[in-house]
Amino acid sequence: MKISMEEIKKEVKTMESRELSDQTPVLRVEPNRLLEEMRKLYDLGLTHLSTIIALQVDNKIQIDYPLSSPLNKKLAPAIFVETIVSMDKPKISTIEDIYPSAVTYEREVTDLLGVEFIGADHRDKLLLPDDFPDNLYPLRKDYTGKELQQKLDELGVGYNPTIPLKEEEDYVMAVGPQHPTHKEPIRFKFTVEGEDIKNVELRLGFNHRGIEKALEQGTWIKNLYLIERICGICSSAHQLAYVLTAEKVDKILDQVPDRAQWLRVLVSELERIHSHILWYGVLAHDGGYDYMFHITWRDREDVMDLLEMWTGNRVNYAMMTIGGVRRDIDENLRKKMIIKLKKLRKNISKHKEVMEKEKTFLARIKNVGYLSKEDAIRFGAVGPTARASNINFDLRKDVPYAAYKEIPFKVYYRSEGDVYATMAVRLDEALESVEMCLYVLENLPTGDIAIKVKTRLQEGEAHTRVEAPRGEDIHYILSDGKNAPYRHKVRAPTLANITSLMYRFKNMQVADIPMIIRSIDPCIGCMERVTFVDAKTGKTKEISGQELISKANRRYRLNEKIKIFEV
Amino acid sequence: MSDQQLLEIVKNALIKSPWVSHLNCGSCNGCDIEILAVLTPRYDVERFGIKLKGSPRHADVLLCTGSVTRSMAPRLKRIYNQMADPKFVVAVGSCATNWGVFHNCYNTLGGIDKVVPVAMYIPGCPPRPEAIVFGVYKLLLKLASLDLEKQEEKDSVSNLTQEPIRSEEVTT
Ligand code: SF4
């Protein structure tokens, strides 16, 4: 029996319940009952924790947990569980036992707002630099962004080239140009026994810039351009989530013209195509299949041309604005786009044919990095990663936004759960996106492309989840009626997929590392240096990402054993 | 072989085939995918002998993207120090050039030149692949006109940074 939202509300002991401006129910629970209620909600089917949103309200810290269900369609729209803790020594129990993916989100909240999670193991910094002062929490309202910047400069954070970089943690750089799909350099520390991986540890934040704080100083319009630069690859997904949320806050969502909503879909789908081609091209490269890498990237230039013809830029298109889109399509352009899209369809079908049949390549990706359906749910995987593990969930279908309700498309999912499945899902999705673009171009409604909006939004609170190329991307905005948001929280899809990624390494071999990391399409700088720890002797050794890839390729081609530690 | 001859060979090798390495210091990825596009068939810089290397120790040119974050600054410095002389840094993108859109973000320090000397700036957000190719080409021109004999006495890098070359005519 699938339970509905009303029944859920009855089950939970709330202090009070309210709604966001977008009618999302918020259940406020007492801090000491949080664990109990969360467990109950998990058992009722709300298994997906999107992120943890924390913010300072007056002298309190408000913590929200957006929950939803990937399996029960009735519960696909999110519901917020909220709790409030005091500002001095804020403490709340950890929910990592129920939602393992909460670990990264909780560490983020600890870093940025100084909330302590009771029951969690000792946790290092996740996002902030090692020499960041201990009792300074950037997202509290003690300092404005400018003051914070001055203070950090006075303290010399980051200026001191001789800070004792921790032994194995130093020297991380985004892997060379062959891996530029990475948003931020990331560091993995693998514990190995011979060639088998025993354990993985992770450090993020080399690319933490502090955008959320900066958004509080911008204006609603200025923020449009900072938001899309969170990530240059999914820029329009972030922008779309932002404008939809802002429109919900301002209660003008239903006035946005149809044509604008359709054009929003068009730019999102074009972006998805370019992002997916980019991904499987780099996957081929990582698997030692450089020929395919060059072929796919050659064909990808067609999408880039399409985007450029319409938006004027190849990356960061600046298409969305609050109340509509910024550029229209005329008849001439429409015809040109259709011709190019048809060519693209032919090319992608060819990629599909080759990549799904090439035996040597398949040997590298089949049965590698397996993630079962249960684990994908438990670890909160999103997007193509989840769909490759047999979860039929796509926000475009299940919580439709923009014009997705009116456009026919199919959601692809597969049951294999390995790296191969993540590739096959993306290939199918790229083809489907081409069809969607063609449908949009052929059925585009007429009318305006934007409405006028005021430069200040109303007071209110809203959130939006959109299906970015890599999965669910959630934005949350609290507006206090000024010309900038009071709090704007962004959670990009890669962070959600990290937890399941760590799990995929279990019982795999060193040679599989590059392919597995690629499987989630990390929008993070990969490992230029990977640290290995010998499980028996405790010895550590670093090798570069490039070296690792070439070792892995030799392992498969020549059956050469990988020796990290001399015996 | 005399020192002079050796230097000539070094210089020629540098101009004919500069090896570049790429470092993301806190970018949005936009510039990084454009750098990758430069490598692939449509733009194909390998025909100029430009090759991308994973390790900065093998590289002559370091392509840096993004405004430097406080976490990356010490690492950038280290990586720069690991490169063999003569070495050149190219700042790719507006935020690597001059902080750009991230100027309000507390965890960033500013352009690449806050941390290491930069020989060449390529503005644009992101710069088009053509602009990146043009930028690297301009750097090669600059290298070709270097007098290596004097260069050994002077610091080649600081010499270059005194008059940075900008390739904005391409992007504007
Ligand atoms: S210059 Fe623009 S595109 Fe390039 S990294 Fe910076 S913000 Fe991104």
Side-chain angles (χ1 to χ4, degrees):
Chain A
M1 239 294 287
K2 297 220 161 146
I3 189 163
S4 73
M5 195 60 86
E6 278 59 43
E7 290 162 282
I8 292 259
K9 279 193 212 160
K10 275 186 216 128
E11 289 286 329
V12 178
K13 279 210 187 78
T14 48
M15 290 160 67
E16 59 173 280
S17 55
R18 60 186 180 100
E19 276 185 354
L20 303 186
S21 316
D22 55 359
Q23 274 107 43
T24 307
V26 181
L27 310 176
R28 184 174 291 177
V29 302
E30 276 176 58
N32 51 11
R33 291 191 51 83
L34 179 75
L35 208 57
E36 209 176 307
E37 302 297 350
M38 290 296 252
R39 183 155 286 137
K40 218 187 285 171
L41 289 169
Y42 185 90
D43 293 339
L44 288 173
L46 289 168
T47 49
H48 183 67
L49 173 74
S50 295
T51 180
I52 297 177
I53 303 166
L55 57 143
Q56 178 183 348
V57 186
D58 302 328
N59 263 333
K60 301 245 163 61
I61 289 183
Q62 173 188 328
I63 308 175
D64 288 277
Y65 301 84
L67 300 177
S68 57
S69 165
L71 296 180
N72 180 350
K73 301 288 175 211
K74 278 193 221 153
L75 296 180
I79 167 174
F80 277 44
V81 175
E82 181 172 277
T83 186
I84 291 186
V85 292
S86 82
M87 265 282 271
D88 56 71
K89 304 234 175 72
K91 270 192 191 138
I92 186 85
S93 48
T94 171
I95 53 164
E96 88 178 272
D97 294 341
I98 313 169
Y99 297 93
S101 59
V103 178
T104 34
Y105 308 141
E106 287 181 355
R107 283 173 73 181
E108 186 186 351
V109 172
T110 310
D111 271 13
L112 302 180
L113 278 136
V115 178
E116 194 195 320
F117 288 89
I118 311 163
D121 304 344
H122 171 71
R123 289 172 176 174
D124 283 337
K125 288 202 175 89
L126 179 74
L127 291 178
L128 297 177
D130 293 333
D131 55 347
F132 203 86
D134 269 341
N135 35 29
L136 192 65
Y137 302 110
L139 285 186
R140 289 197 185 176
K141 299 280 174 184
D142 315 352
Y143 297 100
T144 65
K146 276 260 148 56
E147 287 163 1
L148 190 63
Q149 212 159 31
Q150 269 164 14
K151 188 154 172 86
L152 290 175
D153 282 346
E154 274 163 30
L155 292 170
V157 179
Y159 278 105
N160 186 357
T162 57
I163 46 160
L165 301 165
K166 282 191 202 140
E167 248 322 91
E168 327 92 309
E169 276 197 350
D170 59 354
Y171 199 93
V172 174
M173 64 182 271
V175 98
Q178 293 90 338
H179 302 255
T181 51
H182 310 138
K183 183 158 81 180
E184 68 190 90
I186 185 177
R187 160 164 222 94
F188 292 99
K189 195 168 135 191
F190 292 98
T191 309
V192 293
E193 222 178 80
E195 279 189 52
D196 300 326
I197 302 170
K198 289 294 165 208
N199 196 16
V200 204
E201 282 167 44
L202 168 80
R203 172 81 158 95
L204 292 168
F206 297 102
N207 210 335
H208 174 75
R209 287 156 285 181
I211 288 183
E212 286 178 12
K213 185 87 181 176
L215 290 170
E216 291 168 14
Q217 299 162 50
T219 64
W220 293 107
I221 297 300
K222 245 191 191 169
N223 284 353
L224 277 170
Y225 308 105
L226 186 52
I227 291 274
E228 72 174 341
R229 283 164 181 81
I230 290 172
C231 170
I233 305 176
C234 6
S235 64
S236 88
H238 281 295
Q239 237 187 1
L240 179 59
Y242 168 57
V243 296
L244 288 173
T245 317
E247 282 157 10
K248 284 176 190 167
V249 168
D250 211 25
K251 307 212 172 64
I252 51 169
L253 187 56
D254 43 356
Q255 297 163 29
V256 177
D258 276 353
R259 190 175 173 91
Q261 298 285 29
W262 281 64
L263 290 176
R264 283 175 178 180
V265 170
L266 183 59
V267 69
S268 305
E269 291 313 311
L270 287 174
E271 182 178 76
R272 192 179 318 276
I273 301 170
H274 106 68
S275 171
H276 280 355
I277 301 183
L278 177 152
W279 179 83
Y280 60 69
V282 181
L283 179 80
H285 168 83
D286 282 354
Y289 192 9
D290 260 2
Y291 171 73
M292 206 57 212
F293 165 63
H294 285 285
I295 295 290
T296 49
W297 275 67
R298 181 195 68 196
D299 298 338
R300 175 175 169 272
E301 288 296 326
D302 283 331
V303 207
M304 304 309 273
D305 285 347
L306 273 172
L307 281 163
E308 195 188 347
M309 277 193 303
W310 178 24
T311 69
N313 208 3
R314 288 163 52 94
V315 181
N316 297 338
Y317 331 104
M319 281 304 290
M320 316 278 178
T321 183
I322 301 174
V325 292
R326 297 185 54 225
R327 283 198 171 94
D328 205 351
I329 286 183
D330 61 14
E331 191 47 35
N332 196 355
L333 182 60
R334 201 180 69 94
K335 279 197 193 119
K336 272 197 210 155
M337 284 177 103
I338 291 179
I339 296 172
K340 276 232 162 192
L341 277 168
K342 288 197 172 139
K343 179 173 163 211
L344 203 63
R345 174 165 61 191
K346 209 171 86 209
N347 286 335
I348 297 177
S349 317
K350 256 190 226 148
H351 301 165
K352 183 171 149 70
E353 203 177 311
V354 176
M355 294 188 81
E356 287 183 352
K357 287 207 185 97
E358 175 61 43
K359 280 210 187 85
T360 44
F361 183 55
L362 287 184
R364 294 291 309 274
I365 55 176
K366 276 221 164 160
N367 298 326
V368 166
Y370 176 70
L371 185 71
S372 70
K373 184 175 183 181
E374 291 70 37
D375 288 334
I377 290 174
R378 206 157 74 84
F379 295 117
V382 297
T385 311
R387 287 195 285 278
S389 292
N390 210 2
I391 298 176
N392 177 8
F393 185 77
D394 190 322
L395 286 164
R396 294 175 292 170
K397 203 55 148 213
D398 297 313
V399 194
Y401 52 93
Y404 280 111
K405 231 183 193 153
E406 293 145 64
I407 295 162
F409 69 99
K410 197 171 163 243
V411 177
Y412 287 91
Y413 62 102
R414 300 182 75 98
S415 56
E416 291 98 327
D418 51 6
V419 178
Y420 167 77
T422 61
M423 180 190 82
V425 164
R426 282 187 176 90
L427 279 162
D428 287 333
E429 268 178 27
L431 270 179
E432 190 69 24
S433 291
V434 175
E435 297 301 332
M436 288 165 79
C437 290
L438 285 169
Y439 184 85
V440 170
L441 285 171
E442 270 147 20
N443 299 285
L444 200 59
T446 50
D448 282 342
I449 56 161
I451 52 167
K452 272 226 158 80
V453 287
K454 295 200 199 83
T455 48
R456 278 163 195 253
L457 304 194
Q458 295 181 20
E459 280 180 36
E461 216 180 330
H463 86 291
T464 307
R465 297 186 297 155
V466 308
E467 187 77 28
R470 287 158 189 73
E472 172 201 51
D473 173 24
I474 175 167
H475 281 231
Y476 161 91
I477 293 178
L478 173 61
S479 156
D480 56 356
K482 304 234 174 66
N483 57 359
Y486 180 82
R487 173 85 168 93
H488 187 146
K489 161 83 193 158
V490 180
R491 199 273 287 129
T494 303
L495 199 60
N497 280 330
I498 286 281
T499 322
S500 62
L501 171 69
M502 307 300 269
Y503 191 76
R504 275 176 190 241
F505 287 116
K506 291 264 159 71
N507 301 326
M508 295 314 299
Q509 299 224 310
V510 172
D512 300 321
I513 293 174
M515 304 307 268
I516 299 178
I517 292 184
R518 180 59 48 201
S519 75
I520 66 160
D521 191 0
C523 207
I524 36 177
C526 164
M527 55 321 157
E528 166 60 4
R529 295 278 151 175
V530 192
T531 308
F532 288 95
V533 184
D534 193 336
K536 287 199 190 106
T537 59
K539 254 202 280 176
T540 61
K541 181 169 180 186
E542 289 199 340
I543 67 174
S544 76
Q546 204 65 20
E547 215 178 314
L548 182 62
I549 290 174
S550 74
K551 276 191 185 204
N553 288 345
R554 290 177 74 84
R555 167 77 175 79
Y556 276 94
R557 206 177 311 135
L558 310 170
N559 212 3
E560 242 176 44
K561 282 243 177 288
I562 297 186
K563 275 200 215 108
I564 305 270
F565 296 99
E566 297 300 327
V567 193
Chain B
M1 193 189 291
S2 75
D3 272 7
Q4 181 60 27
Q5 277 171 317
L6 193 66
L7 282 174
E8 279 303 316
I9 292 174
V10 169
K11 183 177 152 185
N12 276 339
L14 203 60
I15 299 161
K16 291 278 155 52
S17 149
W19 285 8
V20 301
S21 185
H22 158 236
L23 180 63
N24 174 341
C25 303
S27 84
C28 81
N29 263 351
C31 287
D32 306 85
I33 51 175
E34 292 300 67
I35 290 180
L36 187 57
V38 162
L39 282 177
T40 50
R42 185 182 288 182
Y43 303 100
D44 192 15
V45 285
E46 259 177 50
R47 66 201 149 123
F48 302 129
I50 299 174
K51 188 168 163 49
L52 279 130
K53 291 301 287 183
S55 166
R57 288 174 206 265
H58 301 160
D60 307 305
V61 178
L62 189 66
L63 298 176
C64 293
T65 59
S67 48
V68 188
T69 62
R70 287 180 204 272
S71 324
M72 277 308 276
R75 275 121 182 146
L76 170 60
K77 192 125 211 164
R78 261 179 153 206
I79 285 162
Y80 180 76
N81 288 339
Q82 282 170 352
M83 291 171 65
D85 274 328
K87 56 192 169 190
F88 308 93
V89 175
V90 177
V92 181
S94 299
C95 61
T97 307
N98 191 17
W99 219 343
V101 70
F102 300 120
H103 65 99
N104 265 341
C105 300
Y106 60 84
N107 212 30
T108 55
L109 288 179
I112 301 292
D113 50 10
K114 280 266 174 77
V115 183
V116 293
V118 175
M120 178 71 153
Y121 299 86
I122 308 176
C125 188
R128 295 182 51 83
E130 290 93 331
I132 300 178
V133 177
F134 185 69
V136 176
Y137 163 73
K138 277 267 192 151
L139 180 70
L140 295 186
L141 281 189
K142 188 81 184 173
L143 293 185
S145 64
L146 281 185
D147 189 341
L148 265 182
E149 213 181 340
K150 286 182 207 147
Q151 202 57 36
E152 278 298 293
E153 293 157 20
K154 283 183 186 175
D155 178 4
S156 64
V157 183
S158 64
N159 195 8
L160 269 177
T161 42
Q162 272 156 23
E163 24 166 350
I165 325 147
R166 293 183 180 261
S167 65
E168 58 229 277
E169 55 263 48
V170 176
T171 46
T172 46

